[in-house]
Amino acid sequence: MQSPRERSTVRARAGWMVMGERGRPSALEVCRVLAVLFSLFPSVSLQCKILKCNSEFWASTSNSGPEEEFCTALRAYNSCVRRTARTCRGDLTYHSAQHGIEDLMSQHNCSKEGPTSHPRTRTPLPPAPPPVMTDSQERSDGPEVCHYERSLPRNTAPPNYTHCGFFGDPHLRTFGDDFQTCKVEGAWPLIHNKYLSVQVTNTPVVPGSFATATSKLTIIFKNFQECVDQKMYHAETDELPAAFADGSKNGGDRNGANTLRVVEKVAGQHVEIQARYIGTTIVVRQVGRYLTFAVRMPEEVVNSVEEGDNQDLYLCLHGCPANQRIDFRNFRARAAEAQSVSRTRSNTGANGFTYQSAKTKCKERLPVEDLYFHSCVFDLLSSGDINFTMAAYYAFEDVKMLHSNSKRYHIFEKAAEMNSAEQKGRNVLSVFLVNLLAVLLWTVCL
């Protein structure tokens, strides 16, 4: 069986950077690239209601019924999507839904002409915990190549799992355990490799402030061998679906489809996406009005970048660009100084919190004064939004669930400063070696 190390010839059909088999993009691929480019402009989709169409279709087909009922629901779905064309033409979810409808109509031999009906609404049931699968059940769930750890060569070391998190105003914990606070307003890629792509859109929290937070998240799982079809998951404020954009909850009709699935933990608040074929777990939450993201991924998958791709903006791998980073330690120091100066005049800052009151509030949920605690303080001072306290709390809870090394759950300022100094040292050494090489080449040429 092939391992991910041997799959370098597998080409993904969609993502932020795609090309055809022989280097020439197909018409479909060009359309998908254009759809992504349009989706980078947040104003395009402010009034787009495509997620409502997706939710209604999922609700109407959640219980299996006659084929004709499915076709009727599919035609209603198509009508709903067509009605959103004017406001959604630049939205990635809209274009994905269009292609998904065409595929489903073809697969189920549905006629485009025929009766349509409004989806039947149903009362949502409380989310049930995912079933515990025995080893024999897992082994029957698709071929071995669709189970990451079992597909690895025998007698190899266990895979090294890494973690990336993105939350709050916003704070980034990279796969290398660097902790950064960033501006990154607008659309930015968190992950982009051979198997999946993740993009976030960050919007201002307070008008006129540098504070931003994630209001939209798009994840594309690229089709992979006999395991899964291409699937897209899209979430935004007040729309945290329990299914992929096409209404499905797994990887499609292939043999290993159930190795990719969406599991709703808390309706509208907490969704987990399990991609066992690449050993990956993703957690998406809505806390207050904003989204948080956390992922557990094998190091091999993290680094499985396509040849020729520009990975400089792969935030979970390389961190935020230097001109997008915020030193919240200086911000905190200024806040503490301002409180000291104004102590006799006022005990409340412009956003409702002083440095001390923000610390007290964050201490309720985050008793250890690590960088999660300090990020909470920063967010309360910069925005005044109490929900950011819970965003930091859940981000740390996700670390405990997803990080493979319990000794590295907490990140403290001294450790972060040492990592920063080490990185600066490597950069200086790199510049020195490049200059030395240039001098040597110049000498040889002379």
Side-chain angles (χ1 to χ4, degrees):
M1 291 295 177
Q2 290 180 320
S3 73
R5 296 185 178 90
E6 298 168 328
R7 300 169 191 156
S8 60
T9 59
V10 177
R11 305 296 295 174
R13 291 183 182 175
W16 276 267
M17 291 164 269
V18 294
M19 290 294 289
E21 291 294 330
R22 298 182 181 177
R24 297 179 58 189
S26 68
L28 177 58
E29 289 169 339
V30 170
C31 289
R32 285 172 175 165
V33 172
L34 289 175
V36 174
L37 291 177
F38 285 129
S39 73
L40 297 180
F41 297 91
S43 60
V44 171
S45 57
L46 286 177
Q47 303 300 321
C48 180
K49 302 298 183 184
I50 188 66
L51 292 182
K52 185 174 184 291
C53 297
N54 294 344
S55 298
E56 288 178 346
F57 175 67
W58 172 77
S60 66
T61 58
S62 58
N63 297 317
S64 59
E67 192 75 6
E68 185 52 39
E69 284 190 14
F70 181 85
C71 291
T72 299
L74 192 56
R75 284 190 290 268
Y77 182 29
N78 188 40
S79 298
C80 182
V81 171
R82 290 176 62 184
R83 288 195 298 272
T84 68
R86 187 169 176 272
T87 55
C88 295
R89 65 182 62 183
D91 192 280
L92 186 60
T93 311
Y94 167 75
H95 291 278
S96 178
Q98 279 189 315
H99 295 303
I101 290 170
E102 291 175 6
D103 291 343
L104 287 171
M105 281 190 166
S106 175
Q107 291 171 17
H108 294 269
N109 296 319
C110 296
S111 170
K112 291 185 179 180
E113 302 298 328
T116 62
S117 62
H118 294 290
R120 297 185 303 272
T121 58
R122 62 187 181 90
T123 303
L125 297 175
V132 178
M133 302 182 72
T134 66
D135 185 63
S136 60
Q137 286 175 315
E138 288 196 356
R139 290 186 180 277
S140 64
D141 186 15
E144 192 168 274
V145 70
C146 299
H147 296 264
Y148 178 74
E149 291 194 11
R150 296 208 304 268
S151 70
L152 297 175
R154 294 174 181 266
N155 301 320
T156 59
N160 180 36
Y161 288 94
T162 58
H163 163 76
C164 175
F166 195 73
F167 67 97
D169 179 17
H171 307 284
L172 171 69
R173 179 172 181 159
T174 70
F175 285 124
D177 286 330
D178 289 330
F179 197 100
Q180 302 169 2
T181 298
C182 310
K183 303 174 187 175
V184 290
E185 182 176 348
W188 290 79
L190 281 183
I191 298 174
H192 180 70
N193 58 42
K194 291 180 180 180
Y195 306 103
L196 79 162
S197 298
V198 181
Q199 178 179 277
V200 292
T201 299
N202 303 309
T203 54
V205 175
V206 180
S209 170
F210 58 79
T212 65
T214 300
S215 59
K216 185 187 296 185
L217 172 75
T218 302
I219 307 171
I220 293 179
F221 295 90
K222 304 174 185 180
N223 62 345
F224 179 70
Q225 295 191 8
E226 64 263 50
C227 303
V228 298
D229 296 326
Q230 176 188 308
K231 292 290 178 178
M232 185 178 77
Y233 182 82
H234 181 84
E236 55 187 270
T237 299
D238 296 330
E239 290 283 354
L240 191 64
F244 292 111
D246 63 2
S248 66
K249 289 193 150 191
N250 66 9
D253 295 327
R254 304 192 188 186
N255 291 333
N258 286 329
T259 61
L260 173 63
R261 59 177 185 164
V262 179
V263 179
E264 185 177 58
K265 298 290 187 176
V266 180
Q269 298 179 32
H270 180 189
V271 166
E272 185 174 301
I273 305 176
Q274 301 164 357
R276 285 185 290 160
Y277 68 103
I278 51 174
T280 296
T281 300
I282 293 174
V283 175
V284 182
R285 299 178 187 267
Q286 176 167 331
V287 185
R289 289 193 52 77
Y290 301 103
L291 305 176
T292 70
F293 170 86
V295 61
R296 179 180 189 261
M297 184 180 292
E299 195 171 55
E300 180 183 22
V301 177
V302 167
N303 295 307
S304 64
V305 298
E306 296 278 9
E307 292 182 9
D309 280 355
N310 180 4
Q311 295 296 319
D312 292 343
L313 295 181
Y314 179 167
L315 299 189
C316 275
L317 186 60
H318 299 295
C320 299
N323 64 352
Q324 293 291 320
R325 298 183 191 179
I326 299 172
D327 187 351
F328 70 75
R329 299 168 188 81
N330 288 339
F331 179 89
R332 189 178 66 231
R334 291 196 300 271
E337 181 180 354
Q339 176 177 324
S340 177
V341 171
S342 62
R343 189 181 300 276
T344 58
R345 298 196 302 267
S346 172
N347 194 41
T348 304
N351 290 319
F353 285 95
T354 64
Y355 176 56
Q356 189 56 49
S357 64
K359 285 184 65 176
T360 300
K361 191 63 183 176
C362 292
K363 204 81 169 179
E364 294 175 4
R365 290 285 181 179
L366 300 157
V368 178
E369 293 194 18
D370 60 358
L371 289 184
Y372 288 91
F373 169 84
H374 290 304
S375 71
C376 171
V377 174
F378 172 86
D379 289 351
L380 291 185
L381 290 174
S382 64
S383 71
D385 187 342
I386 195 67
N387 289 302
F388 283 121
T389 304
M390 295 305 298
Y393 168 77
Y394 283 124
F396 185 68
E397 289 300 300
D398 290 338
V399 168
K400 292 192 291 185
M401 179 176 69
L402 300 174
H403 204 291
S404 59
N405 187 345
S406 61
K407 295 181 180 179
R408 304 187 73 174
Y409 289 170
H410 296 283
I411 299 179
F412 295 94
E413 285 187 286
K414 289 185 178 180
E417 290 169 1
M418 289 176 63
N419 288 340
S420 177
E422 183 181 347
Q423 181 62 46
K424 289 179 181 177
R426 286 197 295 266
N427 293 341
V428 171
L429 179 60
S430 298
V431 172
F432 172 76
L433 291 175
V434 169
N435 290 335
L436 179 60
L437 180 60
V439 171
L440 291 175
L441 289 173
W442 178 258
T443 304
V444 170
C445 291
L446 290 178

